[in-house]
């Protein structure tokens, strides 16, 4: 269950201070869709964990609603692929607690940090088991994390490997037993130092491969990890503001990456406000011509 969203204070210029569904205190402006600034969190330590957070995260079969799985997922003759969302093993913890609190918690209260990771991991595992037990036919597994930014991860890679890696392994072992050979992961930013943990624990498809200011590409990852690593994204959406010639150059850049196999190019996240609609339409046409889709 989510926290109740509560407006705590009306601020100047139309902004307001809000307790959001994660228990974070954020500054929002109605109608603005960008990520709000976090200024505080309900979580302060073990007291809040045990009273406010842990009760929401304990496994309970009566909270599972199989009707949320689309009927088409049970159709053996379907052509549309369906993914099984296996949850978040660290990103949601960051949302609940905040990156500063979470960074200090690892050093200030290691037992509590471990308990939070274990609780989230156990819930994700049990929910994945419940979904697979319905008999629905899924085509791939997927995690959400969003724990990197333009210079690297928001978590020490060694801590991530030791504490979170085993939970990926438990869940991907389960999904592999059910024939889900692809396990993808949504993690923004420069993910290079976390890829070893994911690959070692059964996560083999990276998304969205943000080009950003750091020039992410599947090419160096493929050289290091081989064809086991796959990817989605990697298209530089900034070209949408620079006309058709820029689109042509970007598609030529993508061609050798697509030829590697196991890579689906697409823009990451939202198309920027400065994109030209005619250029976006031209891009989709050129993509079909170049890649046969």
């Amino acid at each position: 269950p989510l926290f109740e969203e509560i407006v705590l204070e009306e601020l100047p210029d139309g902004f307001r201070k809000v307790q959001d569904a994660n228990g974070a205190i954020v500054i929002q402006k109605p109608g603005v869709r960008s990520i709000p600034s976090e200024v505080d969190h309900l979580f302060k330590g073990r007291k809040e964990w045990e009273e406010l957070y842990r009760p929401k995260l304990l496994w309970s079969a009566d909270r599972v609603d199989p009707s949320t799985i689309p009927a088409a997922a049970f159709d053996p003759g379907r052509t549309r692929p369906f993914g099984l969302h296996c949850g978040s093993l660290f990103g949601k913890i960051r949302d609940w607690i905040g990156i500063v609190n979470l960074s200090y918690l690892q050093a200030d209260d290691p037992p509590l940090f471990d308990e939070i990771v274990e609780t989230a991991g156990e819930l994700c595992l049990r929910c994945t088991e419940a979904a697979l037990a319905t008999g629905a036919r899924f085509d791939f597994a997927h995690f959400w994390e969003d724990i990197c930014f333009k210079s690297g991860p928001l978590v020490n890679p060694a801590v991530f490997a030791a504490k979170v890696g085993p939970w990926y392994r438990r869940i991907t072992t389960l999904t592999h037993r059910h024939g889900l050979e692809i396990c993808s992961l949504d993690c923004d930013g420069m993910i290079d130092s976390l890829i070893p943990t994911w690959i070692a624990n059964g996560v083999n498809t990276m998304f969205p491969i943000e080009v950003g200011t750091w020039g992410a590409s599947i090419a160096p990852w493929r050289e290091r990890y081989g064809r086991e690593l796959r990817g989605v994204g990697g298209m530089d959406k900034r070209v949408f503001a620079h006309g058709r010639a820029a689109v042509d150059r970007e598609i030529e850049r993508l061609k050798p990456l697509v030829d590697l196999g196991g890579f689906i190019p697409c823009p990451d996240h939202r198309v920027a406000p400065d994109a030209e609609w005619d250029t976006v339409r031209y891009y989709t046409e050129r993509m079909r011509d170049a890649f046969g889709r």
Side-chain angles (χ1 to χ4, degrees):
L2 301 174
F3 286 97
E4 180 184 0
E5 293 202 12
I6 303 172
V7 177
L8 302 175
E9 184 180 353
E10 297 288 348
L11 301 171
D13 301 323
F15 289 88
R16 56 189 188 178
K17 183 182 290 186
V18 177
Q19 174 188 296
D20 72 9
N22 291 312
I25 312 303
V26 301
I27 304 300
Q28 292 181 347
K29 188 170 187 179
V32 176
R33 297 185 62 194
S34 60
I35 299 173
S37 300
E38 295 182 0
V39 295
D40 203 353
H41 297 82
L42 294 181
F43 178 93
K44 304 297 181 185
R46 180 167 289 279
K47 179 177 184 294
E48 293 77 16
W49 165 249
E50 294 184 349
E51 293 179 1
L52 301 178
Y53 290 82
R54 188 172 177 272
K56 296 176 178 289
L57 304 171
L58 296 179
W59 166 256
S60 177
D62 59 7
R63 290 182 178 175
V64 176
D65 181 5
S67 69
T68 59
I69 300 176
F74 298 89
D75 178 6
R78 72 165 194 266
T79 57
R80 175 188 173 187
F82 279 86
L84 171 57
H85 194 283
C86 299
S88 171
L89 300 176
F90 199 84
K92 284 304 296 182
I93 298 174
R94 186 275 320 276
D95 283 349
W96 302 327
I97 295 176
I99 189 60
V100 175
N101 284 341
L102 191 54
S103 298
Y104 278 113
L105 188 66
Q106 299 169 41
D108 292 343
D109 194 342
L112 178 56
F113 176 79
D114 289 351
E115 182 179 332
I116 293 172
V117 172
E118 295 288 303
T119 301
E122 179 69 21
L123 183 60
C124 289
L125 176 62
R126 297 294 294 273
C127 288
T128 301
E129 289 175 335
L132 292 169
T134 64
R137 184 170 64 85
F138 299 100
D139 299 285
F140 64 96
H142 182 74
F143 290 94
W144 177 90
E145 297 297 358
D146 277 15
I147 51 171
C148 296
F149 68 123
K150 67 179 182 179
S151 300
L154 297 170
V155 55
N156 184 314
V159 172
F160 189 73
K163 305 295 185 179
V164 186
W167 283 104
Y168 283 116
R169 172 53 60 188
R170 292 183 183 102
I171 295 171
T172 60
T173 296
L174 174 64
T175 58
H176 289 166
R177 282 205 307 265
H178 284 78
L180 282 63
E181 296 182 1
I182 297 294
C183 182
S184 61
L185 177 132
D186 181 348
C187 184
D188 304 351
M190 182 183 284
I191 65 175
D192 300 59
S193 60
L194 298 186
I195 291 177
T197 294
W198 287 320
I199 288 291
N201 292 288
V203 180
N204 57 17
T205 304
M206 305 300 146
F207 169 83
I209 312 182
E210 294 180 301
V211 177
T213 59
W214 55 97
S217 169
I218 194 174
W221 302 344
R222 182 62 64 78
E223 289 179 7
R224 179 172 178 182
Y225 302 103
R227 292 181 62 83
E228 174 62 17
L229 186 145
R230 303 162 178 87
V232 177
M235 179 267 173
D236 189 349
K237 65 188 178 186
R238 292 173 294 187
V239 302
F240 292 147
H242 300 288
R244 295 188 173 195
V247 168
D248 290 338
R249 289 192 296 270
E250 178 63 9
I251 288 178
E252 290 304 310
R253 185 187 73 85
L254 290 171
K255 283 182 177 178
L257 302 179
V258 174
D259 289 343
L260 294 173
F263 171 63
I264 301 173
C266 70
D268 65 83
H269 295 92
R270 300 170 188 158
V271 173
D274 61 359
E276 301 168 356
W277 174 234
D278 177 71
T279 305
V280 174
R281 290 197 301 177
Y282 176 73
Y283 161 78
T284 62
E285 294 166 359
R286 288 283 288 111
M287 287 290 285
R288 293 189 187 98
D289 291 342
F291 303 116
R293 291 284 183 264

